[in-house]
Amino acid sequence: MKKHVIEAPVLENVPISGSSDGIYRMVLHAQLLAIEAQPGQFVMVMKPNDQATFLRRPFGIADADPAAGTITIIYRLVGRGTRAFTKMKQGELLSVEGPIGHGFTLREGRQLLVGGGLGIAPLIFLAKSLPEKPLFLIGGRNEKEIFWKDLLAPLAEKIYVTTDDGSFGTKGFTTTLLPDVLKKEQPAGVVTCGPTIMMKGIAEIVKASGLPCEVSLEKRMACGIGVCLGCTFETTAGTRKKVCVDGPVFPAEEVFA
């Protein structure tokens, strides 16, 4: 799929209600990207003529609306670059390259989507695109990190929640609850996106069940086109792949033994 580099005007850039960690939703008018984007792909963005964002930052596409010509990214304030993004006003331009990478497989049958942290964001676009409403299993440190449930509610058949401290849902991690969810719901497949340690645990449990499982990797990268080699990793077969051009979505068995 051809990538585009466009200057996209900001339509909305606001903190997400209920989030306690400086998480923002930015909606951009980017007609070509909205038409061509697939769930699981990402964009590389930078604020033109701003030293704080000299290198593009990768962000998963949280939503794409071809009719409105918009794409949505969800990001956390973590440093100079994202701080510059938080200050962007309606009508300002953001340089956007994309859509980049290979996305999720849109499988038939009810899917279980497992996410943690900002890894939940790309699952929003996936849930909207699947032929059947999915199940969700999401985790966070505490109730304040589970604001995602309100964003997911219209897209999900059912949402299971875990928190590390037990302040909401089941106490523990997503891996704590996953075996029971698999047994009770018997999904046709599993997709997971979030911290690597979480995805590894999910993949191990799903492998034992015999279900297909896909993981979406997050790696630091400078180019998004496979040149900088900053996002390479060694697969379980011993070959090296690049998250930007070969992924970011991979079969779990290629990533975790």
Side-chain angles (χ1 to χ4, degrees):
M1 180 178 293
K2 184 179 179 181
K3 295 189 288 291
H4 307 279
V5 179
I6 64 172
E7 289 197 340
V10 174
L11 300 181
E12 179 182 293
N13 185 30
V14 296
I16 294 180
S17 176
S19 135
S20 62
D21 284 338
I23 297 177
Y24 287 71
R25 178 179 63 246
M26 181 184 286
V27 181
L28 303 166
H29 187 264
Q31 185 78 55
L32 283 174
L33 276 62
I35 292 172
E36 297 185 8
Q38 298 174 0
Q41 291 185 307
F42 65 99
V43 291
M44 298 283 288
V45 304
M46 64 181 292
K47 188 176 179 180
N49 304 314
D50 190 314
Q51 288 187 330
T53 57
F54 177 72
L55 292 177
R56 293 181 181 272
R57 267 67 167 180
F59 294 101
I61 300 173
D63 195 11
D65 186 338
T70 61
I71 65 167
T72 300
I73 61 174
I74 296 177
Y75 66 97
R76 176 183 279 120
L77 171 57
V78 293
R80 290 179 61 204
T82 48
R83 185 173 299 280
F85 294 154
T86 66
K87 298 180 184 301
M88 295 190 71
K89 306 298 184 183
Q90 185 176 10
E92 288 191 83
L93 298 177
L94 194 66
S95 178
V96 185
E97 179 182 6
I100 300 173
H102 295 281
F104 299 110
T105 303
L106 302 182
R107 300 183 189 276
E108 296 291 335
R110 189 175 55 164
Q111 303 296 305
L112 173 61
L113 312 186
V114 185
L118 281 181
I120 297 171
L123 300 181
I124 296 172
F125 189 13
L126 174 59
K128 292 182 66 174
S129 305
L130 287 169
E132 186 174 336
K133 271 193 173 185
L135 304 158
F136 273 94
L137 170 55
I138 62 173
R141 288 174 296 181
N142 51 53
E143 184 175 5
K144 289 184 177 180
E145 289 194 356
I146 307 299
F147 63 89
W148 296 98
K149 68 184 185 302
D150 297 326
L151 301 178
L152 301 175
L155 308 174
E157 178 185 319
K158 188 182 298 185
I159 302 174
Y160 291 90
V161 177
T162 66
T163 51
D164 298 0
D165 64 2
S167 55
F168 192 92
T170 299
K171 184 176 182 178
F173 308 115
T174 52
T175 49
T176 305
L177 192 54
L178 179 61
D180 289 340
V181 174
L182 291 176
K183 182 178 180 180
K184 179 180 178 181
E185 301 292 353
Q186 298 187 353
V190 178
V191 172
T192 183
C193 185
T196 300
I197 190 170
M198 182 204 80
M199 292 194 294
K200 186 176 188 296
I202 297 296
E204 290 174 351
I205 294 170
V206 176
K207 182 178 180 180
S209 74
L211 292 173
C213 181
E214 288 185 328
V215 300
S216 179
L217 299 185
E218 295 181 4
K219 289 277 189 178
R220 290 184 178 273
M221 61 184 73
C223 71
I225 58 175
V227 175
C228 72
L229 303 180
C231 65
T232 60
F233 74 99
E234 186 173 350
T235 69
T236 53
T239 60
R240 297 203 67 81
K241 289 195 174 183
K242 303 168 186 175
V243 171
C244 62
V245 295
D246 299 315
V249 177
F250 297 91
E253 62 270 20
E254 286 190 15
V255 181
F256 303 115

